[in-house]
């Protein structure tokens, strides 16, 4: 997904799409777009695709050692962030920024909207330059960011209902919160298993329809779960996790398709949310927006993370500091900010503008410094260059542990002899195809090779092959 894409110019690239949306909006080139309902609909489609693709890309073996920490951060961490931030916002509007007035419930609603870290931004930045993190931090951060949006959504809806009912049905709302979480997990798992059976059993003549079928199943999972009052976002993420860690036909093609759809939807979502904002409306709330941003970055998020990770003493203080810092806000909080707007909650427009401002500050301050802070804290490991085939457009299943590489032959490589059988290849290494000029052919042991031939090699000893032909291994 877009998590495989970098950021450019020192700024997360997704911020540029927010800027493009604002540039073409009412205060820019004059494109009129002021429908929070339309933006919310587009955002729901996008967030589902992003969460599903994130779940598919998450390998269970990688998150297994840190799954408890990740789940705690994605649930209790979001709740603590919302409560701490909400209380601070209430104090700010009561004693400092009196021009903006929020009740305690209103402040909690605003904080809930911003309480989750954004999966799109975290995946994009962590994957930008193959950033390698120590202490299993990368899977922890990806698990947290990929699974904490459902909790933020639940808190947002809960406080909206609380404000509208005046707190009369508090226990009913609390019960609904538990039911949504339980149904979201249960239905996500069951639908994920069911989707695998459908994909493996159905026989489609056109193979390109399998990814389309998966996309359709994704939205069916969300719609059905929501219809029976479960958390659709959580169900989608869990089903993506189940499907991504199962065997099914055309798996690699489906994962690439979902990655592409997630990237496309992220662009569309950021553009749409950018169109919805009028930059001049951000100026009156810039002061309180900056204050809330700094409080979330330096107070609320670190305090919530440290409280959640307190029982995990094997985790270093530096690692906890880093998890605190990678609390990026993104498109999900802006999307959730449309819910108070469509529900006609008091100060809904102000809430949306503040969330947008806080998101920009978070992405520009935290997003641009994620790799730098990792190096400062000594948590950045050595990144290994990703070897990609440039000549042969072939792939192997993830279940096959052998590796493929390309070797461009030189005169030095042929010094041992010009036949394949003369080449000093490591054990369990096979040359399966040769490209000479514009022609491709399958070689034999007696095949005579020439300089500039490109060999496609499959090996169980990737390191040995790379060392033998390091100057040209790709």
């Amino acid at each position: 997904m877009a998590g495989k894409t970098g950021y450019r110019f020192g700024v997360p690239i997704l911020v540029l799409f927010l800027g493009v949306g604002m540039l073409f909006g009412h205060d820019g080139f004059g494109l009129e777009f002021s429908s929070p309902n339309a933006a919310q609909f587009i955002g729901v489609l996008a967030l589902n695709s992003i969460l599903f693709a994130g779940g598919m890309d998450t390998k269970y073996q990688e998150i297994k050692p840190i799954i408890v920490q990740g789940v705690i951060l994605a649930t209790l961490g979001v709740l603590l962030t919302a409560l701490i931030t909400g209380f601070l916002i209430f104090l700010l509007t009561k004693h400092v920024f009196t021009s903006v007035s929020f009740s305690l419930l209103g402040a909690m609603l605003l904080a809930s909207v911003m309480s989750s870290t954004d999966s799109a931004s975290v995946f994009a930045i962590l994957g930008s330059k193959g950033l390698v993190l120590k202490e299993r931090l990368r899977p922890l951060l990806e698990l947290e960011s990929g699974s904490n949006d459902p909790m933020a959504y639940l808190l947002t809806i809960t406080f909206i209902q609380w404000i509208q009912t005046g707190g009369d049905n508090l226990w009913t709302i609390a019960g609904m919160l538990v039911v949504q979480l339980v149904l979201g997990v249960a239905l996500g798992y069951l639908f994920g298993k069911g989707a695998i059976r459908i994909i493996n059993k159905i026989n489609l003549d056109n193979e390109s329809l399998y990814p389309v079928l998966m996309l359709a199943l994704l939205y069916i999972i969300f719609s059905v779960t929501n219809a029976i009052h479960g958390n659709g976002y959580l169900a989608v993420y869990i089903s993506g996790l189940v499907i991504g860690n199962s065997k099914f036909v055309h798996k690699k093609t489906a994962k690439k398709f979902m990655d592409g759809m997630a990237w496309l939807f992220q662009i569309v979502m950021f553009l749409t949310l950018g169109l919805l904002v009028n930059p001049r409306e951000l100026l009156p709330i810039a002061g309180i927006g900056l204050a809330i941003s700094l409080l979330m970055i330096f107070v609320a998020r670190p305090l919530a993370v440290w409280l959640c990770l307190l029982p995990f003493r094997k985790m270093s203080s530096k690692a906890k500091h880093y998890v605190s810092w990678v609390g990026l806000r993104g498109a999900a909080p802006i999307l959730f900010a449309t819910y108070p707007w469509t529900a006609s909650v008091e100060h809904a427009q102000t809430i949306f503008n503040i969330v947008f401002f806080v998101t920009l500050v978070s992405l520009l301050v935290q997003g641009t410094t994620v790799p730098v802070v990792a190096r400062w804290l000594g948590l950045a490991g050595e990144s290994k260059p990703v070897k990609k085939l440039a000549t042969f457009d072939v792939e192997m299943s993830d279940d096959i542990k052998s590796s493929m590489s390309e070797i461009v032959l030189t005169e030095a490589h042929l010094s041992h002899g010009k036949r394949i059988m003369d080449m000093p290849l490591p054990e369990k290494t096979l040359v399966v195809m040769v490209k000479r000029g514009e022609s491709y052919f399958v070689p034999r042991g007696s095949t005579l090779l020439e300089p500039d031939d490109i060999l496609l090699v499959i090996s169980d000893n990737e390191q040995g092959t790379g060392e033998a032909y390091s100057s040209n291994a790709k």
Side-chain angles (χ1 to χ4, degrees):
M1 52 185 302
K4 309 291 189 299
T5 306
Y7 59 93
R8 300 171 184 171
F9 317 118
V11 178
I13 193 171
L14 295 176
V15 177
L16 299 181
F17 291 107
L18 279 176
V20 170
M22 295 169 67
L23 180 64
F24 279 85
H26 178 76
D27 289 350
F29 293 140
L31 181 61
E32 294 290 341
F33 181 78
S34 58
S35 172
N37 289 292
Q40 188 179 107
F41 177 74
I42 293 171
V44 167
L45 293 178
L47 188 57
N48 272 287
S49 180
I50 294 167
L51 289 174
F52 188 80
M56 286 191 68
D57 283 341
T58 302
K59 296 180 181 178
Y60 180 71
Q61 291 302 321
E62 291 182 359
I63 66 170
K64 186 177 179 180
I66 49 83
I67 194 167
V68 176
Q69 297 95 309
V71 170
I72 290 175
L73 287 171
T75 52
L76 181 59
V78 172
L79 177 60
L80 289 175
T81 300
L83 294 178
I84 296 168
T85 305
F87 184 69
L88 292 174
I89 292 173
F90 176 68
L91 293 179
L92 275 177
T93 58
K94 194 172 183 65
H95 301 291
V96 182
F97 297 94
T98 54
S99 59
V100 182
S101 177
F102 283 110
S103 64
L104 183 58
L105 284 181
M108 290 296 174
L109 172 59
L110 172 56
S112 297
V113 167
M114 303 182 293
S115 57
S116 67
T117 58
D118 186 65
S119 56
S121 303
V122 171
F123 289 162
I125 294 172
L126 289 180
S128 59
K129 294 182 180 179
L131 182 63
V132 177
L133 298 173
K134 300 176 182 178
E135 298 192 40
R136 297 192 180 95
L137 285 175
R138 180 162 179 164
L140 174 61
L141 292 167
E142 290 183 343
L143 174 61
E144 180 205 4
S145 64
S147 59
N148 65 5
D149 287 334
M151 186 65 180
Y153 169 76
L154 283 175
L155 291 175
T156 299
I157 298 302
T158 298
F159 279 107
I160 288 175
Q161 293 182 349
W162 197 350
I163 290 171
Q164 291 177 334
T165 61
D168 295 336
N169 299 316
L170 178 58
W171 289 109
T172 301
I173 294 172
M176 181 197 69
L177 184 73
V178 174
V179 169
Q180 285 208 8
L181 286 173
V182 172
L183 285 177
V185 173
L187 292 177
Y189 179 81
L190 293 175
F191 280 134
K193 289 293 186 181
I196 292 297
R197 291 182 64 86
I198 292 173
I199 294 169
N200 284 332
K201 291 291 183 182
I202 198 169
N203 186 16
L204 298 175
D205 293 332
N206 190 340
E207 294 179 0
S208 62
L209 291 177
Y210 281 95
V212 179
L213 171 62
M214 183 167 291
L215 186 65
L217 291 172
L218 148 66
Y219 291 116
I220 290 172
I221 292 169
F222 176 79
S223 301
V224 172
T225 304
N226 265 4
I228 58 179
H229 306 295
N231 188 306
Y233 293 119
L234 184 58
V236 163
Y237 179 76
I238 296 296
S239 63
L241 188 63
V242 171
I243 293 171
N245 286 275
S246 302
K247 295 181 180 180
F248 59 93
V249 295
H250 308 298
K251 180 176 182 178
K252 210 151 199 174
T253 302
K255 289 183 72 173
K256 282 191 172 183
F257 175 82
M258 291 309 305
D259 281 353
M261 289 300 298
W263 178 228
L264 173 64
F265 270 126
Q266 286 175 51
I267 294 175
V268 172
M269 180 164 63
F270 274 75
L271 285 172
T272 303
L273 295 174
L275 284 172
L276 198 58
V277 170
N278 297 320
R280 62 183 174 184
E281 294 179 357
L282 298 179
L283 294 177
I285 54 88
I288 186 172
L290 183 59
I292 293 173
S293 300
L294 295 177
L295 286 172
M296 290 196 74
I297 293 172
F298 295 106
V299 180
R301 167 73 177 179
L303 189 54
V305 168
W306 277 80
L307 287 173
C308 288
L309 299 179
L310 196 60
F312 304 97
R313 306 198 177 193
K314 290 184 179 180
M315 191 173 187
S316 69
S317 298
K318 290 182 178 181
K320 294 175 183 177
H321 281 307
Y322 191 70
V323 172
S324 301
W325 186 252
V326 190
L328 295 162
R329 313 298 143 183
I334 303 175
L335 166 62
F336 294 153
T338 63
Y339 283 89
W341 197 348
T342 56
S344 300
V345 174
E346 188 180 8
H347 303 307
Q349 182 75 55
T350 302
I351 289 175
F352 183 87
N353 290 331
I354 290 175
V355 171
F356 194 95
F357 189 92
V358 170
T359 296
L360 284 179
V361 172
S362 174
L363 289 175
L364 292 173
V365 174
Q366 295 170 285
T368 57
T369 57
V370 167
V372 176
V373 173
R375 288 192 289 270
W376 282 351
L377 295 173
L379 295 171
E382 294 184 5
S383 59
K384 297 180 180 179
V386 179
K387 297 179 181 179
K388 296 183 179 179
L389 300 181
T391 303
F392 299 91
D393 187 16
V394 293
E395 290 183 342
M396 293 192 299
S397 168
D398 291 335
D399 297 327
I400 300 175
K401 302 307 178 184
S402 302
S403 63
M404 288 192 298
S405 58
E406 295 175 2
I407 300 173
V408 181
L409 294 181
T410 64
E411 290 285 359
H413 291 145
L414 301 176
S415 60
H416 298 279
K418 294 188 176 182
R419 298 177 301 173
I420 286 183
M421 65 177 65
D422 299 326
M423 295 182 66
L425 293 170
E427 291 185 6
K428 299 182 179 180
T429 300
L430 182 66
V431 178
V432 295
M433 190 167 289
V434 178
K435 180 185 180 186
R436 179 175 297 164
E438 298 300 321
S439 302
Y440 295 84
F441 59 90
V442 178
R444 296 182 178 180
S446 58
T447 298
L448 292 176
L449 299 173
E450 300 177 3
D452 297 324
D453 282 353
I454 304 176
L455 311 184
L456 176 63
V457 177
I458 296 180
S459 178
D460 287 344
N461 186 359
E462 181 180 10
Q463 183 178 357
T465 306
E467 290 174 353
Y469 298 92
S470 59
S471 61
N472 289 291
K474 299 194 178 192

